Amino acid sequence: MNDLSNQECVVCRADSPRIFVADSQEYMDVLKDWSINQLDRIDKLYRRYTFTNFSVALEFTNKVGDLAEVEDHHPVLVTEWGAVEVYWWTHVIHGLHRNDFVMAARCDKIFSQSDE
Amino acid sequence: MNDLSNQECVVCRADSPRIFVADSQEYMDVLKDWSINQLDRIDKLYRRYTFTNFSVALEFTNKVGDLAEVEDHHPVLVTEWGAVEVYWWTHVIHGLHRNDFVMAARCDKIFSQSDE
């Protein structure tokens, strides 16, 4: 599971399997700075990344945005001075798919490779 | 007041004058798609812009980010597939300053000049 960021995302359909909180431990053991928050009755993966100013925060937003476009799977990105909050979930299943955990791990990889 | 977007932002200090909801009507008459929302006991200017996909939404986020850097006054930008939500307020006065209304008007100008 440590190589989560290297795993592939798959095409997701309405009948694709959801991952519930009770079954998420093996993922969350790797995604140590993430939590699962239920918002609008939907489980969402959440992490707040911190930065030293606005421009590096926005740079991170753009890197995650590039990743999202490549995989055609898009998060909510809350950009402010010194921080970016990222929310991942899969709209079509109204919850979390394995893809979301993979994307979260890839965000961590982008962050670890940044200058911050 | 129609030329709000062309007005200058000024340096803001802790004793700079706040603009309260009761005094905001002349600004809100111009900022027709904005509302003032009280979040965490702080009045914040809010608008949701909609777009046809993720990349044009992120492009708008970047344009507003560029403006924020020029003025050294930064919003919260919530970017998602097809939408950007913008929140303006002035941290140092824990509320709304005239600058925030100017920046909101400039966001509208950026949006009106985009391809959407």
Side-chain angles (χ1 to χ4, degrees):
Chain A
M1 193 57 68
N2 278 318
D3 63 346
L4 187 58
S5 68
N6 294 323
Q7 294 186 25
E8 296 296 318
C9 288
V10 298
V11 174
C12 201
R13 302 186 184 87
D15 61 352
S16 295
R18 279 174 63 182
I19 292 177
F20 295 92
V21 174
D23 307 315
S24 67
Q25 198 56 53
E26 62 176 334
Y27 296 107
M28 299 310 283
D29 284 347
V30 178
L31 302 170
K32 293 184 187 303
D33 295 306
W34 291 78
S35 59
I36 296 175
N37 296 355
Q38 194 172 74
L39 301 165
D40 303 325
R41 297 189 176 184
I42 296 173
D43 285 342
K44 302 180 180 183
L45 267 172
Y46 167 80
R47 179 175 172 182
R48 181 179 176 86
Y49 296 90
T50 57
F51 301 91
T52 51
N53 59 39
F54 183 81
S55 67
V56 288
L58 185 55
E59 192 177 315
F60 179 76
T61 291
N62 278 288
K63 287 178 180 171
V64 175
D66 289 345
L67 166 67
E69 286 286 271
V70 167
E71 293 292 351
D72 196 19
H73 185 45
H74 300 89
V76 169
L77 295 159
V78 184
T79 311
E80 63 183 296
W81 195 98
V84 177
E85 295 177 332
V86 184
Y87 295 85
W88 287 107
W89 77 100
T90 299
H91 290 71
V92 73
I93 61 170
H94 306 289
L96 293 170
H97 183 271
R98 195 176 153 287
N99 289 347
D100 296 303
F101 296 89
V102 171
M103 294 298 263
R106 291 187 186 177
C107 286
D108 283 354
K109 194 169 188 179
I110 291 170
F111 183 68
S112 72
Q113 291 170 342
S114 71
D115 296 333
E116 290 296 297
Chain B
M1 193 56 68
N2 278 317
D3 64 346
L4 188 58
S5 68
N6 294 323
Q7 294 186 24
E8 296 296 317
C9 288
V10 298
V11 174
C12 201
R13 301 186 185 86
D15 61 351
S16 295
R18 279 174 62 182
I19 292 177
F20 295 92
V21 173
D23 307 314
S24 67
Q25 197 56 54
E26 62 176 333
Y27 296 107
M28 300 311 283
D29 285 345
V30 178
L31 301 170
K32 294 185 187 303
D33 295 306
W34 292 78
S35 58
I36 297 175
N37 296 355
Q38 194 172 75
L39 301 166
D40 304 325
R41 295 190 177 185
I42 296 173
D43 285 341
K44 301 181 181 182
L45 267 172
Y46 166 80
R47 179 174 172 182
R48 181 179 175 89
Y49 296 91
T50 56
F51 302 91
T52 51
N53 58 39
F54 183 81
S55 67
V56 288
L58 185 55
E59 192 177 315
F60 178 76
T61 291
N62 278 290
K63 287 179 181 172
V64 176
D66 290 345
L67 166 68
E69 286 287 270
V70 167
E71 294 292 350
D72 195 21
H73 186 43
H74 300 89
V76 168
L77 295 159
V78 184
T79 311
E80 63 182 297
W81 195 99
V84 177
E85 294 177 334
V86 184
Y87 296 85
W88 286 106
W89 77 101
T90 299
H91 290 71
V92 72
I93 61 171
H94 306 289
L96 292 170
H97 183 271
R98 194 176 154 287
N99 289 347
D100 297 303
F101 297 89
V102 172
M103 294 299 263
R106 290 187 187 176
C107 286
D108 283 353
K109 194 169 186 177
I110 291 170
F111 183 69
S112 72
Q113 291 169 344
S114 72
D115 296 333
E116 290 295 298

